[in-house]
Amino acid sequence: MRKILIVGSGQSGLQLALSLQEHGYDVTVMSARTPDEIRAGWVTSTQCMFADALAIERKHGLNLWDDVAPRVAGQGFSMAGPDGQRALNWIASWDGGPAQSIDQRVKMAAWLELFEERGGNVVIHGVTTADLNGLARLYELVIVAAGKGELVQLFDRDPSRSPYTKPQRRLSVSYVHGQESRPERPGTTDVWMNIIPGVGELINIPGYTLSGPCDIFYVSGIPGGPFDAFADRPPAEEQLRRHLELFRQYIPWEYERAKNAELTDGKAVLVGGYPPVVRRPVGELPSGGFVLGMADVVVANDPITGQGANNAAKCAESYLGSILENGDRPFDREWMQGAFDRYWEHAQWVTMFTNAMLQPPPPHVQQILGAAQTNPAVAKRFVNGFNNPTDFQHWLLDPAKTEEYLASV
């Protein structure tokens, strides 16, 4: 039985551990927190997962919340005009099925317990580079899936794939109860992206948290602008108050729905921001051993396109395939690079799309967003790209292809 160590207990690390367990691998997971500590902690992300990523979870029997989580049927898009009204406003449904957002405090605590119940080895301990240097000798393969902390420094930044050196957005998140339905879509649950040019974005995501169904305010501010208002990390209630005030000023149609919202719990907020980065996938330990980076350890995109948890699921599935196909051969540096290259075939398009969304939309993208207002086929293709961003290479990421596409619809 081959022995594998996975450091990190997030979406990618636990999904890979549980799916390797299915195939008889001897897997150890190192987590900095127990399940109860995860549940008692602060929210860590917004994690809206689309149909393809959810299908991977279901294939491995890991989607445990289909009966309770809101079924998010479609994605809306609004753009504020100079007069504070909506210059654009449209919605389309996803062809592959509904999306779902499960608070990672709920999911990761449950998955960590499930892994241990199925006979997996769990070690509750923070890991330093010095720790890993000694531990690596005990395993045939070590995967680093902890996107925060000093272990990330084992993986060098790849400047050819990382155009930004500073955060492009300042992020703040509130999980709430009590938001009202959209007047024009009563009773529906949709992701809705609101863009305020020159200011930032509010993405509204129906989710499921410790206390049941909820709504998530994901506020993404251009650095130095009005939405960049949380650097002092205010208390949770003050953060929500500021969110609502920003909605009132810049997105009044969302304020009317949100004005009576209340936090789901005292740790239902998050503040952050980081530069998007692609790192080299193989890290070398002081001992000369090699470790493989996974998901946001090596490809960390800005959350503006909601791809983080989706990428993590797809990276874990891609690495699973590479591990199974390797059979009894060694997990050497060449194999590690090959495993990442296989994942990058998908991830490169996510990175390209996400980096593009951080800039003011060029004329050909403005044409697409405008055409979606009146042409449902354009709206549907744009929205479905969030489930499968590789499609954008064929019609959105190149002005000539956009022109050709618009002429065909």
Side-chain angles (χ1 to χ4, degrees), residues 144-148 151-152 155 277 279 292-300:
V144 177
K148 299 174 183 174
L151 294 186
V152 175
F155 306 93
V277 63
R279 297 187 178 92
L292 174 63
M294 181 162 68
D296 59 354
V297 171
V298 288
V299 182

Side-chain angles (χ1 to χ4, degrees), residues 180-190 257:
E180 297 176 6
S181 294
R182 295 183 183 283
E184 69 275 24
R185 294 178 59 79
T188 59
T189 51
D190 307 305
R257 302 176 54 228

Side-chain angles (χ1 to χ4, degrees), residues 157-282:
R157 177 175 177 270
D158 183 345
S160 69
R161 292 168 170 171
S162 307
Y164 301 117
T165 57
K166 297 179 180 178
Q168 300 300 298
R169 292 290 189 276
R170 300 293 183 185
L171 318 174
S172 56
V173 172
S174 296
Y175 281 48
V176 301
H177 290 312
Q179 179 167 246
E180 297 176 6
S181 294
R182 295 183 183 283
E184 69 275 24
R185 294 178 59 79
T188 59
T189 51
D190 307 305
V191 167
W192 210 282
M193 184 173 194
N194 298 274
I195 295 179
I196 306 95
V199 174
E201 300 83 19
L202 162 66
I203 304 173
N204 199 302
I205 306 164
Y208 183 84
T209 186
L210 299 164
S211 50
C214 65
D215 282 282
I216 303 171
F217 300 149
Y218 172 83
V219 176
S220 172
I222 293 174
F227 277 19
D228 179 9
F230 304 92
D232 60 340
R233 297 182 179 273
E237 292 291 348
E238 170 61 13
Q239 177 167 316
L240 176 59
R241 188 197 68 77
R242 292 186 198 177
H243 273 170
L244 296 178
E245 177 59 21
L246 290 170
F247 301 168
R248 188 186 67 78
Q249 290 185 48
Y250 294 96
I251 329 168
W253 58 91
E254 293 291 358
Y255 173 75
E256 289 302 316
R257 302 176 54 228
K259 59 186 179 185
N260 295 319
E262 298 180 347
L263 291 172
T264 61
D265 59 85
K267 294 185 176 179
V269 296
L270 170 68
V271 173
Y274 55 86
V277 63
V278 178
R279 297 187 178 92
R280 303 193 192 284
V282 183

